[in-house]
Amino acid sequence: MESMGKKKPRPRRSFTAEFKAEIVELCQRGDRTVGQVAKDFDLTETAVREWLKQAERDAGTGDGGLTTSEKDELAQLRRENRRLREDVEILKRATAFFAKETR
């Protein structure tokens, strides 16, 4: 027997930067509330509010969080750091291997 009132979770969707910018612009115009815009485009209010906060950060008027370009740079640096750590680990193993071979 299925429980009543349980909804299936919505699959995760991704949106283009252009779409997000259009939604932010609609909200900033002031014609409709964030809730109305979210409902009209079948989005969650939370997502729309996050897009608004990020747009404010990118414009330099936000709450001090990371801008989009800073987030992108941070992600790139983390990937590079992970790769470099792997390279160092490989070199350590190779050094240990060749040190054994020369004895």
Side-chain angles (χ1 to χ4, degrees):
M1 189 178 203
E2 289 185 34
S3 61
M4 301 280 255
K6 289 238 178 180
K7 288 184 178 180
K8 273 187 165 180
R10 184 193 314 217
R12 188 166 186 95
R13 301 179 293 171
S14 60
F15 302 97
T16 64
E18 293 80 18
F19 178 77
K20 292 178 183 180
E22 288 178 28
I23 296 298
V24 166
E25 186 181 331
L26 284 173
C27 293
Q28 289 175 338
R29 275 192 212 149
D31 300 341
R32 296 183 273 183
T33 66
V34 172
Q36 289 170 329
V37 171
K39 187 175 181 181
D40 290 347
F41 289 90
D42 190 30
L43 303 167
T44 63
E45 269 191 67
T46 305
V48 175
R49 289 187 193 285
E50 286 299 316
W51 297 347
L52 281 166
K53 280 199 295 189
Q54 189 63 49
E56 289 173 359
R57 287 183 198 128
D58 291 347
T61 60
D63 57 5
L66 296 177
T67 64
T68 301
S69 62
E70 290 170 334
K71 283 183 178 183
D72 292 343
E73 181 182 10
L74 181 60
Q76 185 267 331
L77 289 171
R78 285 181 173 164
R79 280 191 302 273
E80 183 179 352
N81 194 9
R82 184 172 40 251
R83 186 186 56 78
L84 290 172
R85 287 179 192 270
E86 291 170 359
D87 291 351
V88 167
E89 187 60 34
I90 290 169
L91 290 172
K92 283 182 183 178
R93 290 179 185 181
T95 302
F97 176 78
F98 288 116
K100 272 191 224 176
E101 291 289 316
T102 58
R103 287 185 189 179

